[in-house]
Structures are given as C-alpha cells and as structure tokens.
Amino acid sequence: MTATLPLSAGIGLRHPHYRQVLAQQPPLGWIELHSENFFDGGQPLAMLQQLAARYPLSLHGVGLGLGAAARPDATHLAALRRLLDAVPAVAVSEHLSFNHDASQRFANDLLPLPYTRAMLEVVAANVAEAQDVLGRPLLIENLSSYLAYPGNDMHEGEFLAGLVARTGCGILLDVNNLYVNQQNLGTDVDAFLAALPADAIGEIHLAGYTERSFDDGSRLLVDTHSRPVYPAVWQLYRQIIACFGVRPTLIEWDIDIPPLDTLLAEAATAQAILDQHTGAAA
Amino acid sequence: MNETAWQHALLDAITTPQWQPDPRFDAAALAVYRNNYRVGLMEMLALVYPICRQLLGDEFFEALSREYVKATPSASGNLHRYGEGFAGFVAAFEHTAHIGYLPDVAQLEWALHRGYYAADATPLAIDTLAAIPQQHWGALCFHCQPACHVLDSQWPLASIHAHHQPATAGCAVNLHEAQPLLLWRDSDDLMQLLPLAPGQAAFCQALLGGTTLDEASAAGLAASPEFDLQAALLLVLQHGVLSAIKEPS
C-alpha cells in the first residue's frame, strides 16, 4: 500500500462544515481537503492544522496538472511542499489530468490527456518531478472525461498502471468517474479495473453526478459532486471492494453542499460495505 | 509531439471567447469544459470582490466578470490567484471608468484577499528592538508581515469598506475624504484596516518596501511636516507590521 489512511470511510471536508466538525468532532475515519485552499498561511492554514490534530488528513490537489505535456508549475509545487511541511498529511493526491501548456496558460479544470506511450513517459517524468519536490509518493486519480484524444493507444487503466511502474506512485480510484466515463465514452470498466495493480490502490472516491441534456438530443453525465452517490455507483463500489479488498473510501460533495449529517450518512453507507468485507479481504 | 498540439488546441477551444465549431472536439463535451472554465473564474471574482459586486449590483457585476474573463486568461493552477488585474480592468472599462473609487475598492479587496491567505509571520517583539541601542535603530531594516499592505488612495476606502460590512452597514461615507490605508492581519488571523495620516502612509510604504528606519522616517516627513516618528513606530509595532530585524547583508 502506498498510503496509510485508515481502512475506513471519510468525507471531503468543505468550507461550510469546518467549524462544525471541529466543534462536534463526529466519528470519522479520516478527512480530505483541497490543498490549494490552504496555500501560504493565515486562518485557513491554522484551521487545517487544528483539523489535522483530530483526524487523519488527506490532501487532495486540483491544480498541478501533472498530465500536461508541459512540466508542472514550480511555484505551485513549492507552495504544496510548504503546506506539507506545515501540516501532517497522511496521503497526498492529484488527478491524472492537465490544466496548462508550456506558456503557463491555465484552465482551472481537470482536462483529459492523450493515453499514448509518448505521453506516458512525459507524465511519468512530471509525477517523478512532483514526488521529488514533495519528498513523498502521490496517489494519482483516474479522471471523469467528456472527450478523448483520437490517437489513444492504451486505456486509462493501462496508463495508470504504467505510471505506477515508472514512478512508484499510488492510485486513487474514483468509482464515480469510472462510471461516468462508462456512460459518456463507453469506457470498458472491466478492462480498466483488470489493468490496475491492486496493491497500488491507496484510496477510493465516491460522489454524485448530474445528467445534462443538449439541444441535439445527446446527454452527458457531468461529474459535479453535487448529489448523493447513485445506486449504480454503489453497486460498482461493492464489486470493487469485493475484488480488491477494503480501501480508505471518501465521500466527495463540492457543489450544493448538504448538511453535515447527510455526508456522514453517505460515509456510514460506505463504512457498512467496508465492514462486510473487513477480514475477508487481502 | 501530436499530443502537445492536441492539448494546446483543447486549451484554445476552452479559453477562446468566440468559440467556433472544431471537428476535433465533441461540441457537447466542449460546452461542459467551456462552461466550467468561465463559471469557475467568475465565481472566484464574486468571492474576491463582494463590495464591488454590491456597488454594481449582481447583474452588472456578472456581466463585468464575463468581460474580464474574456480578456484575462488564468495564469495559475491555483484559482485563488485569479483576479489580480480586476482593478486595472474596471478603471479602463468604458462602462465603469466613470466610477472613480471603484478601482481603488477593487485594489482594497484584492489586498484583503491576498492578505487573508498570506504566509504567517511572528510579530516583532518590542523587547527585541529595545535590546538594540537606540542610536543604531536608524540603520535597521525589517522583514514585514506578508499580509500587510499600504493603499494610498484619494478615496475614503475605510468608510466605503465599513459601509458594506454587516456590523457597520450603511454608515456615512464622505467621498471627499482621502483615506490612505494600512491593512494587516490581527492575532485572530482576520484582516484589519486602519486609515493613516499621509506621513504614516509614506513611512509604512517605505518600511514595507525594505528601506532603513531612517529612510522611512525621511519619507514620512517628506509627505507631511506633522509626521511623528515615535507614534508611527509604535503603530507598526502594535499592529504587528514588523516581524523581524533584517540581518545586515
């Protein structure tokens, strides 16, 4: 295992609930927060340090864009390193996505990358560079994508496996993203999962999507993190836990954030599934 | 590498204000990415500039944000860095150029935003300074609190700010009163602001710029004959503006 998060359910903690969680300290296996919201210092960093004193902490980045053909932004990496020096994080993760080019033009989003042999070498160098600066391995998350590079010569699961082999990084397996890709792009879920080195999967994400329809009659599932986890995603999660064994599992909710109790109930559902497999798993 | 060109083209297709159908990218997919890009940046502007938004109204602010996003690509993977040029943009934008104080309010809000996230620094203890013989003080330079900022404005920024805070909403604003401001972060990590006399503003500006205490004092006196060094030094120490004495290089 790459990470040492507890083998239990946690929640993605967002601004509306920081103070409530600190005050009530609900029983949660662990929490995950977005790294970029705590860069530098001040009240956000002080709050994060208080939270890290009470819960195992995972820091989840959205801004490095390690899947770019261009190198990662050195100032961003340095800021992340300072954050890791200031806060005891158990796990640090980023996405298999890109957000910039060599002229430092950014789209603050998680954009899909070509899954080719040439790109794999570039991204492996980016991940290795980031891990060198940060002084620790990263968990890299599979992406929800709405389009694909036309010249792909492997699928995302093979690409992730290649990254693990080249850099020693771990995998953050987002089950909702996988489901969304299956629905939008026809991703072969079984082939994706079969390609993953099970030992490298250090964390699982669960979230809800939104369905959008377009004038031309097409529809897309958009990975909005704005809804409860859908039944089909729970079903896929059960299969994955049955196959790979229990993993630290996170409920993510970033838009239209509900009361804390709703998040805790979602986490309890994930915990119940983990409990069914605890002891039975490798 | 073709992959590089494809990523470049996708960034173009997402960020360009006037989108043209592009056979390389599915239209529905691109619509999602283009919407994410714009909404993310516009929401960031609304978060950073709440007073500008109140001054202009939600609808106008949204239209203005849309224009700013068209004109200003994001230059960082950290969304919190977006919007630095907003003050300059509203000063030059034809539909806001007549609102004289708006650019300065935007500058104030950007400084409050950056200050809130700025790196931590321990305030310089008065005892540390007192331990140095006073005749050497003039040659000292200081590291300052990264959250600190001086805004030299001809507008009553402190009053305008207070006017838009819940606790002091609607308080009087005299638009003919210039209020240079000191911004700093207090011991609870909250941003505070204080109107300064012109000499104090020049003094603080100089110290933040890295001058010696003597040079800062001269800047203060040049700005106002009423400048009082002792009072000004006490003010910066009380508010934690100074964080450490620089070692002579």
Side-chain angles (χ1 to χ4, degrees):
Chain A
M1 294 292 291
T2 314
T4 53
L5 287 168
L7 292 170
S8 57
I11 62 167
L13 189 58
R14 302 296 176 252
H15 190 261
H17 299 140
Y18 293 165
R19 287 179 194 284
Q20 192 183 352
V21 165
L22 274 176
Q24 298 174 355
Q25 299 191 30
L28 274 167
W30 51 289
I31 55 173
E32 183 168 280
L33 292 94
H34 284 166
S35 314
E36 286 81 3
N37 292 339
F38 305 92
F39 278 4
D40 299 332
Q43 203 172 60
L45 181 62
M47 178 81 72
L48 186 63
Q49 286 167 330
Q50 288 178 50
L51 287 164
R54 288 163 178 78
Y55 295 99
L57 173 70
S58 163
L59 283 173
H60 190 47
V62 297
L64 264 178
L66 295 170
R71 289 178 60 190
D73 177 8
T75 56
H76 198 109
L77 263 180
L80 182 54
R81 173 64 201 240
R82 286 196 300 277
L83 178 61
L84 296 176
D85 288 342
V87 183
V90 180
V92 185
S93 51
E94 253 292 351
H95 296 81
L96 185 57
S97 63
F98 89 98
N99 64 354
H100 67 285
D101 62 15
S103 61
Q104 294 295 293
R105 179 177 55 155
F106 283 83
N108 300 90
D109 201 349
L110 305 168
L111 304 176
L113 51 141
Y115 305 128
T116 63
R117 285 177 199 86
M119 201 65 203
L120 177 57
E121 301 308 327
V122 172
V123 179
N126 288 345
V127 170
E129 180 178 349
Q131 292 184 148
D132 281 349
V133 171
L134 303 177
R136 58 192 300 162
L138 289 166
L139 296 171
I140 303 292
E141 178 180 342
N142 61 302
L143 196 66
S144 57
S145 315
Y146 310 110
L147 49 79
Y149 178 65
N152 283 344
D153 53 29
M154 64 183 92
H155 61 69
E156 190 188 21
E158 292 167 326
F159 197 94
L160 275 168
L163 278 183
V164 171
R166 283 163 178 74
T167 69
C169 71
I171 294 171
L172 195 177
L173 175 54
D174 189 310
V175 181
N176 186 60
N177 289 352
L178 184 55
Y179 179 76
V180 161
N181 288 354
Q182 180 195 42
Q183 297 296 308
N184 289 340
L185 302 173
T187 296
D188 183 337
V189 168
D190 292 336
F192 175 93
L193 291 173
L196 298 186
D199 289 350
I201 303 170
E203 180 181 340
I204 288 180
H205 274 182
L206 296 169
Y209 55 79
T210 306
E211 185 170 336
R212 269 186 64 181
S213 301
F214 293 86
D215 294 342
D216 63 0
S218 62
R219 63 160 208 156
L220 274 178
L221 302 189
V222 182
D223 178 36
T224 47
H225 297 185
S226 63
R227 312 268 311 156
V229 179
Y230 278 84
V233 175
W234 282 121
Q235 185 51 38
L236 184 53
Y237 173 64
R238 283 191 196 90
Q239 283 174 26
I240 285 169
I241 294 297
C243 171
F244 291 126
V246 293
R247 290 293 188 278
T249 301
L250 188 88
I251 302 296
E252 280 190 304
W253 205 316
D254 292 303
I255 295 175
D256 298 334
I257 297 173
L260 183 60
D261 284 348
T262 307
L263 294 178
L264 296 177
E266 291 273 282
T269 304
Q271 186 63 55
I273 294 168
L274 291 172
D275 289 344
Q276 286 166 16
H277 291 89
T278 302
Chain B
M1 187 167 72
N2 287 337
E3 292 88 328
T4 312
W6 184 80
Q7 287 197 341
H8 199 81
L10 182 55
L11 275 179
D12 277 343
I14 290 168
T15 58
T16 188
Q18 258 73 46
W19 177 63
Q20 315 251 311
D22 183 332
R24 284 172 297 182
F25 306 114
D26 176 71
L30 201 55
V32 172
Y33 288 124
R34 284 177 58 83
N35 184 60
N36 281 354
Y37 177 73
R38 273 157 197 78
V39 169
L41 297 180
M42 286 168 66
E43 282 180 350
M44 201 62 216
L45 293 174
L47 200 71
V48 176
Y49 295 103
I51 299 178
C52 290
R53 188 176 166 196
Q54 286 182 54
L55 286 167
L56 296 169
D58 287 351
E59 204 176 327
F60 190 95
F61 185 84
E62 195 183 315
L64 179 66
S65 305
R66 195 177 303 278
E67 293 305 313
Y68 180 77
V69 170
K70 274 185 198 170
T72 321
S74 174
S76 169
N78 182 0
L79 208 46
H80 295 282
R81 296 265 168 196
Y82 189 74
E84 183 167 16
F86 196 63
F89 183 81
V90 300
F93 190 60
E94 59 168 323
H95 302 293
T96 48
H98 65 286
I99 314 174
Y101 49 82
L102 193 62
D104 286 17
V105 172
Q107 262 193 54
L108 167 62
E109 296 201 279
W110 181 257
L112 289 171
H113 168 66
R114 290 314 306 158
Y116 179 72
Y117 286 98
D120 298 323
T122 320
L124 177 68
I126 294 183
D127 290 353
T128 309
L129 191 59
I132 296 171
Q134 207 162 344
Q135 66 267 30
H136 298 318
W137 285 13
L140 297 177
C141 293
F142 301 89
H143 293 287
C144 296
Q145 184 194 107
C148 277
H149 199 87
V150 173
L151 269 179
D152 194 5
S153 173
Q154 65 175 102
W155 300 100
L157 292 181
S159 307
I160 294 174
H161 181 263
H163 188 88
H164 291 92
Q165 302 310 304
T168 47
C171 68
V173 177
N174 174 7
L175 280 182
H176 300 291
E177 185 189 359
Q179 285 177 341
L181 280 187
L182 175 67
L183 277 61
W184 81 96
R185 209 162 68 202
D186 68 15
S187 54
D188 291 326
D189 272 331
L190 295 171
M191 289 302 290
Q192 300 292 346
L193 38 88
L194 181 78
L196 295 175
Q200 293 172 332
F203 171 77
C204 291
Q205 189 79 278
L207 277 185
L208 289 173
T211 70
T212 64
L213 193 56
D214 272 347
E215 288 162 342
S217 173
L221 274 171
S224 164
E226 290 160 29
F227 175 71
D228 177 345
L229 173 60
Q230 227 170 0
L233 191 56
L234 193 61
L235 180 129
V236 292
L237 285 166
Q238 273 174 345
H239 294 122
V241 174
L242 308 180
S243 103
I245 295 167
K246 270 188 192 167
E247 297 297 324
S249 50

